[in-house]
Amino acid sequence: MWENLKEVIEQRQLMLTFAARDYKVRYAQTFIGYWWSLIQPIASVAVLFVVFQKLVKVPTEGVPYLPFALSGLILWNYFNYVITQSAASLINNQGMIRKIYFPKLTLPLSRAIVGLVEPLVGFVLLIALLLYYEVFGIGILFFLIALAGTAISALGIGLWTAALSIRYRDMQQILPFVLQFIFFLTPVAYSADLLSGIIPSQWDFVLYLNPMTGIIESFRAILFGGDFNPLILMSYAAGLVLFVSGLALFQKMEMKIADIV
Amino acid sequence: MSTSAISIQNISKEYLIQKGKNKEVFKALENINLEIEEGKVTGLIGANGAGKSTLLKILSRITQPSSGHAHINGRLASLLEVGTGFHPELSGRENIFLNGALLGMKKPEIKAQFDEIVDFSGVEAFLDTPVKHYSSGMYVRLAFSVAAHLQSEILLIDEVLAVGDAEFQRKCIAKMDEATHQQNRTVLFVSHNMSVARSLCEQIIFLEKGKVKTIGDAKSVTDQYMREMTETANALPIGQRKDRKGSGELKFSQLEISHPNSKNGSLLISGEPAVINFSIKSLKPSATHDLDLELNIFNASGNFLSSLSNKFVGTSLKLEGEEQSFECTINKLPLMAGSYYLRAKLMINGFPVDLIDRALNFEVLLGDYYGSGNFKQKATPGIYIDQNWKSKP
């Protein structure tokens, strides 16, 4: 497994070239171009604000709703993007895979790099909101750790899906539903306490098997102050397990890709 | 004693293919043992399905062999299809960097050769245009230019010369020749065109049904290949042949070429008439089909010479019922004495229905095309063109 990672590092230039290609192509022939990177996080946080703050009025333990929601949404959107993109990365590049040899791992990894644009734009927005509501603190730096945790977890799931999609295209159909389902089980628009209030307390750990639960909770606990649930560590561990197992499966399937796709 | 650039030991490749309800093992390659010498151009020839492309894919690590292994001595680059990895939305300039990176070139390496690549491709005027607006010729030229400038010790090439115009093909061949001789580069090259293979390769490997049939010098192996292809083409009546492509609703069920005057024992002679008789059979006899026929004439080396087509001359041919015979008459056969073959292609509404690569082999005997009484045999047969010469006052 480490041999392959080494090869990817040697081929980092290819990975960056793929990332640059995907970034350019993503906004090709759109009217407002790169401005979409800014509009997307603003629009989605506006939706959450209207639905969960104005209509449902979810409690946020005294934290202003906009920075609260945005802190979760930035990470969730990145998670969602990396999974969706890396899951389809092998199938979308089958022509190339059948005709050119290159480390396939560069494909999902380059997607994770391209996807970074939006969370970084979101990060600047978040800082602006924190300053506005006067809750800004040094804890904001924890964002980098949360983002790395998100990338690893999302790649883990993405690698699993990409590897399975080679044989079972059904994965591509199932994935959107699964992601939507997980979205509601993740404390993005509301707090984890609200979710754990619904289920018996001895089952709380199930929520934290979802890597995003612990990642978002830890970020918020450090950003806004609050209890640090020890189950958070389990979320990070789950992300790591997904990544390592996903990588192993991906590399096993990599050998057969050209014969199957 | 020269060293091997590629050493192939006992390589086999099997595929599982679905046949009805059962899975069947298809052996694409069986126990291949080869040594490819350093600094030489080696050709790989064989009929469709002989395993040429599979072998190149294994050597370029795109797919893994079922057993055996290959030892590769040096940096290897492969060009199995021109323009894979090009992104239509990106400009020519961006695609040069993308494609170069894909083929394993480092950025400084691409930068250093950028001008040369652009110059060679001849697309400098469109360098900042997205390649989706390129003509297919420009696309191919740019793609080949990137690959041709790769600084690799070993280069694998699959049929890329089949595309692109003649002038560009010559440039590519010259470039490859230069690369092997000046930079001691090893080239392994798949070809269907025997004259290209002959002019380019020092050694040729002939694959047949996944096995190495012959290895030898270019001339003797291509001769053997062409002889055997002729035998295959003549072994079965055309209706029963399996080496055909197309949807198969209609099929050539008979195809022959002869001299209309049986006095000559129906041997074809330059300058005399020739008749092609053929029948088409339909699997769906109820419909009426408007036939679009093409009989392409190739010389024995696989070079295209000319095409006979009912659409060219504006004749409409219809097939009604199950089977029907047709004929195409040539009043004055303009082929010089030599060996030729016909490639038969039948299309309906623009879709290929039946396509047989070497549908019919035939020989043309020496004849007096111009009726001047002054004619001789040429080493490489070509075509006759009607001509008039005169001195001006």
Side-chain angles (χ1 to χ4, degrees):
Chain A
M1 185 185 310
W2 308 120
E3 293 243 323
N4 279 54
L5 282 179
K6 212 179 97 190
E7 195 181 7
V8 169
I9 292 165
E10 278 165 13
Q11 294 264 24
R12 60 188 178 278
Q13 197 205 317
L14 175 62
M15 197 160 67
L16 294 175
T17 315
F18 275 147
R21 170 194 78 169
D22 294 341
Y23 187 64
K24 272 184 193 133
V25 169
R26 195 171 165 189
Y27 299 112
Q29 288 199 353
T30 56
F31 187 62
I32 56 169
Y34 299 121
W35 287 100
W36 278 115
S37 315
L38 184 62
I39 291 171
Q40 269 154 355
I42 296 178
S44 45
V45 83
V47 170
L48 292 191
F49 181 73
V50 172
V51 175
F52 290 99
Q53 179 69 358
K54 292 295 166 195
L55 296 178
V56 189
K57 297 191 169 57
V58 294
T60 53
E61 295 140 16
V63 180
Y65 189 76
L66 281 180
F68 175 86
L70 188 62
S71 63
L73 192 67
I74 299 172
L75 295 171
W76 172 266
N77 279 352
Y78 181 57
F79 181 73
N80 189 51
Y81 180 85
V82 173
I83 291 180
T84 319
Q85 292 289 314
S86 56
S89 60
L90 291 181
I91 293 182
N92 288 348
N93 289 289
Q94 22 180 315
M96 224 156 68
I97 288 170
R98 260 186 267 134
K99 297 289 180 187
I100 304 176
Y101 173 80
F102 60 96
K104 270 54 126 198
L105 204 52
T106 50
L107 291 171
L109 290 180
S110 71
R111 299 308 162 98
I113 295 172
V114 181
L116 282 173
V117 175
E118 269 139 50
L120 292 178
V121 171
F123 180 63
V124 175
L125 265 176
L126 180 63
I127 291 175
L129 282 175
L130 292 173
L131 289 170
Y132 177 79
Y133 286 103
E134 294 173 348
V135 283
F136 184 78
I138 192 73
I140 187 78
L141 288 176
F142 188 77
F143 177 71
L144 294 176
I145 294 172
L147 192 64
T150 307
I152 285 173
S153 315
L155 276 170
I157 300 172
L159 291 174
W160 267 94
T161 328
L164 292 175
S165 299
I166 298 167
R167 254 191 227 284
Y168 310 103
R169 297 287 159 96
D170 320 56
M171 298 305 293
Q172 298 296 313
Q173 306 299 322
I174 299 168
L175 194 61
F177 297 108
V178 174
L179 281 172
Q180 202 168 31
F181 181 63
I182 302 177
F183 174 75
F184 289 110
L185 290 179
T186 306
V188 179
Y190 29 76
S191 67
D193 290 349
L194 190 86
L195 281 171
S196 57
I198 307 168
I199 54 172
S201 58
Q202 67 267 34
W203 293 103
D204 269 7
F205 75 93
V206 177
L207 283 179
Y208 285 87
L209 279 178
N210 166 11
M212 289 318 286
T213 304
I215 291 171
I216 293 178
E217 279 298 292
S218 60
F219 183 39
R220 282 183 183 154
I222 287 168
L223 208 56
F224 306 116
D227 299 334
F228 195 88
N229 190 333
L231 284 173
I232 282 173
L233 292 175
M234 199 172 73
S235 285
Y236 278 91
L240 201 61
V241 168
L242 277 171
F243 180 73
V244 173
S245 58
L247 194 60
L249 180 72
F250 187 87
Q251 281 167 356
K252 201 175 146 236
M253 290 305 288
E254 190 179 21
M255 317 284 188
K256 302 177 188 161
I257 291 171
D259 294 342
I260 301 173
V261 291
Chain B
M1 181 73 201
S2 52
T3 44
S4 302
I6 306 173
S7 158
I8 300 169
Q9 282 149 17
N10 259 315
I11 280 190
S12 298
K13 176 76 182 176
E14 293 172 355
Y15 288 103
L16 275 180
I17 49 169
Q18 202 84 32
K19 264 243 170 115
K21 281 185 182 170
N22 304 322
K23 283 194 171 171
E24 216 167 75
V25 177
F26 168 71
K27 289 185 176 168
L29 290 174
E30 251 183 293
N31 290 323
I32 302 283
N33 284 291
L34 284 172
E35 301 291 324
I36 311 287
E37 278 176 58
E38 197 181 86
K40 276 195 175 177
V41 183
T42 302
L44 204 52
I45 60 173
N48 287 333
K52 307 179 299 280
S53 299
T54 309
L55 187 58
L56 287 200
K57 278 189 178 179
I58 289 173
L59 295 178
S60 43
R61 295 203 293 165
I62 291 168
T63 180
Q64 297 209 318
S66 308
S67 63
H69 68 271
H71 184 77
I72 289 162
N73 202 354
R75 186 172 158 193
L76 179 142
S78 64
L79 186 59
L80 302 196
E81 193 178 88
V82 166
T84 23
F86 265 44
H87 200 292
E89 297 283 354
L90 297 179
S91 70
R93 182 190 305 276
E94 287 160 340
N95 267 309
I96 290 178
F97 282 96
L98 174 62
N99 212 243
L102 253 178
L103 293 169
M105 289 161 97
K106 301 262 174 286
K107 203 163 187 170
E109 212 178 314
I110 307 173
K111 272 192 180 146
Q113 298 199 76
F114 188 82
D115 292 338
E116 215 179 309
I117 293 173
V118 175
D119 201 42
F120 189 82
S121 69
V123 300
E124 54 270 60
F126 305 93
L127 211 50
D128 294 302
T129 312
V131 297
K132 64 178 175 183
H133 298 307
Y134 279 27
S135 72
S136 58
M138 285 159 68
Y139 201 89
V140 167
R141 288 209 301 272
L142 186 62
F144 190 89
S145 306
V146 179
H149 289 82
L150 256 176
Q151 302 291 309
S152 66
E153 284 106 30
I154 305 167
L155 182 61
L156 309 182
I157 303 183
D158 193 355
E159 286 293 5
V160 287
L161 294 174
V163 283
D165 54 65
E167 195 214 353
F168 190 70
Q169 283 187 16
R170 264 196 299 280
K171 252 170 92 179
C172 294
I173 291 171
K175 178 84 195 168
M176 276 167 62
D177 226 28
E178 177 199 308
T180 42
H181 292 118
Q182 294 175 7
Q183 300 159 16
N184 201 33
R185 193 198 267 192
T186 310
V187 178
L188 184 59
F189 167 62
V190 166
S191 184
H192 275 296
N193 185 320
M194 292 307 122
S195 46
V196 171
R198 221 183 256 195
S199 65
L200 213 56
C201 303
E202 289 153 84
Q203 175 187 247
I204 289 189
I205 298 162
F206 176 8
L207 288 183
E208 189 180 68
K209 290 180 185 144
K211 292 179 181 160
V212 177
K213 175 134 186 165
T214 326
I215 307 175
D217 69 280
K219 181 157 188 333
S220 69
V221 182
T222 46
D223 279 346
Q224 182 199 5
Y225 174 75
M226 290 188 289
R227 215 166 40 239
E228 293 195 9
M229 290 303 281
T230 311
E231 281 163 21
T232 333
N234 296 344
L236 270 179
I238 194 159
Q240 291 169 32
R241 279 173 60 176
K242 297 272 177 264
D243 54 335
R244 60 209 309 154
K245 289 179 185 164
S247 62
E249 301 149 52
L250 296 147
K251 273 183 172 181
F252 284 95
S253 54
Q254 182 229 343
L255 176 68
E256 49 187 48
I257 182 166
S258 60
H259 195 295
N261 187 343
S262 54
K263 259 197 315 205
N264 295 319
S266 61
L267 290 170
L268 299 170
I269 299 165
S270 302
E272 296 199 14
V275 179
I276 301 172
N277 282 296
F278 60 96
S279 306
I280 309 282
K281 199 171 177 174
S282 171
L283 296 181
K284 283 188 226 151
S286 53
T288 302
H289 300 280
D290 181 23
L291 305 176
D292 179 354
L293 285 150
E294 243 180 63
L295 299 170
N296 295 316
I297 305 170
F298 291 81
N299 69 13
S301 310
N303 291 322
F304 170 79
L305 293 181
S306 189
S307 188
L308 305 168
S309 156
N310 64 314
K311 294 281 171 188
F312 275 10
V313 294
T315 309
S316 159
L317 293 176
K318 299 236 188 290
L319 174 71
E320 287 162 31
E322 198 193 350
E323 190 170 8
Q324 199 170 335
S325 299
F326 303 91
E327 68 167 37
C328 168
T329 316
I330 302 164
N331 292 331
K332 216 177 152 195
L333 189 65
L335 299 173
M336 295 183 184
S339 308
Y340 301 87
Y341 68 88
L342 280 183
R343 180 161 166 259
K345 186 176 179 187
L346 171 59
M347 302 204 289
I348 304 282
N349 299 327
F351 287 99
V353 180
D354 197 20
L355 198 157
I356 307 152
D357 204 16
R358 255 174 199 262
L360 180 69
N361 295 292
F362 61 94
E363 299 281 330
V364 177
L365 301 182
L366 201 58
D368 187 4
Y369 181 87
Y370 298 113
S372 62
N374 187 7
F375 54 96
K376 53 180 184 256
Q377 185 115 24
K378 290 265 180 211
T380 350
I383 58 170
Y384 291 108
I385 298 170
D386 283 317
Q387 52 198 286
N388 293 300
W389 299 72
K390 65 175 178 190
S391 49
K392 290 208 227 168

